[in-house]
């Protein structure tokens, strides 16, 4: 079962689970992107923890299948040059915190537009559609070529700093 979870996480695009934490190895923001010599950026994973107060009403909660108020922005020279709304599928019907993970692949704008010196910021939309939504935590992890390409059998011997991204995610979810 652990192998199945790890393999599924290697190909994950989106995941939502009840939770109050994001993996500790995610950075709270990307203060400055740096191109790595001879290593291609393969993906950006964004994790957010949100809560939605069920006592507050709005017009969107029952109409939209996703929370559309969290955005990732590429900041270049203090200007937002690209904004991607995170479509957090599955509007919670509970006050419990929810953890959402979104993986953007190299062919998506959030990844291929990144240039040396850019920042990625995760923010709430200026005029939120969902009243009572709180962005409690967020984090970003960059996946470079080779970061998720290990053989699962070999990884049991590695400490966490040398494990693949999918192995670290599997360990994180197993600890919840």
């Amino acid at each position: 079962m652990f192998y199945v979870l790890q393999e599924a996480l290697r190909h994950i695009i989106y995941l939502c689970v009840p939770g109050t934490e994001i993996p500790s190895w995610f950075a709270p923001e990307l203060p400055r992107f740096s191109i790595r010599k001879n290593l291609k950026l393969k993906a950006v994973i964004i994790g957010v923890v949100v809560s939605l107060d069920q006592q507050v009403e709005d017009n969107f909660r029952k109409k939209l299948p996703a929370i559309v108020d969290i955005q990732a922005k590429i900041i270049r020279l203090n200007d937002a040059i690209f904004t991607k709304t995170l479509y957090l599928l599955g509007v919670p019907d509970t006050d419990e915190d929810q953890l959402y993970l979104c993986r953007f692949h190299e062919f998506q704008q959030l990844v291929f537009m990144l240039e040396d010196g850019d920042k990625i910021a995760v923010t709430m939309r200026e005029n939120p559609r969902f009243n009572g939504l709180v962005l409690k935590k967020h984090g970003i992890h960059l996946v470079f070529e080779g970061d998720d390409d290990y053989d699962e059998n070999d990884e049991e011997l590695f400490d966490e700093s040398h494990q693949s991204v999918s192995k670290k995610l599997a360990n994180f979810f197993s600890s919840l």
Side-chain angles (χ1 to χ4, degrees):
M1 170 137 154
F2 192 70
Y3 170 77
V4 173
L5 174 62
Q6 186 174 338
E7 189 59 29
L9 290 170
R10 178 172 285 128
H11 301 289
I12 190 170
I13 295 172
Y14 172 82
L15 179 67
C16 173
V17 294
T20 60
E21 298 297 324
I22 57 173
S24 61
W25 41 275
F26 277 48
E29 65 178 330
L30 181 62
R32 184 177 180 276
F33 173 68
S34 295
I35 295 172
R36 291 190 184 172
K37 190 174 187 175
N38 300 326
L39 286 179
K40 185 176 180 183
L41 180 64
K42 301 295 278 182
V44 173
I45 303 174
I46 297 176
V48 297
V49 174
V50 299
S51 68
L52 185 59
D53 186 342
Q54 299 300 313
Q55 305 308 313
V56 180
E57 293 190 22
D58 56 52
N59 294 328
F60 293 95
R61 209 167 291 210
K62 300 212 181 339
K63 294 178 184 175
L64 293 178
I67 294 172
V68 294
D69 292 330
I70 310 297
Q71 300 177 323
K73 298 179 181 185
I74 296 177
I75 311 293
R76 185 173 298 150
L77 301 174
N78 297 323
D79 289 323
I81 62 146
F82 177 75
T83 300
K84 172 67 178 164
T85 297
L86 305 182
Y87 292 98
L88 306 178
L89 294 171
V91 178
D93 59 0
T94 176
D95 288 324
E96 288 183 49
D97 292 352
Q98 304 294 310
L99 166 65
Y100 293 87
L101 289 180
C102 304
R103 184 177 190 139
F104 298 91
H105 295 277
E106 61 189 314
F107 54 84
Q108 293 174 297
Q109 285 179 295
L110 186 66
V111 179
F112 76 72
M113 287 184 67
L114 277 176
E115 293 183 3
D116 206 41
D118 286 352
K119 299 176 184 180
I120 295 179
V122 177
T123 62
M124 288 273 297
R125 180 187 300 271
E126 243 179 77
N127 297 309
R129 308 289 197 279
F130 286 84
N131 297 330
L133 180 69
V134 177
L135 173 60
K136 293 189 166 185
K137 296 178 184 177
H138 59 276
I140 300 166
H141 184 75
L142 303 179
V143 181
F144 287 92
E145 195 170 34
D147 286 351
D148 215 14
D149 297 335
Y150 302 134
D151 181 0
E152 290 80 10
N153 297 327
D154 296 337
E155 286 193 83
E156 293 304 321
L157 305 174
F158 297 167
D159 66 32
E160 185 175 294
S161 65
H162 292 94
Q163 291 175 345
S164 68
V165 172
S166 56
K167 172 73 170 163
K168 288 192 274 190
L169 283 172
N171 291 344
F172 171 77
F173 285 112
S174 294
S175 71
L176 295 179

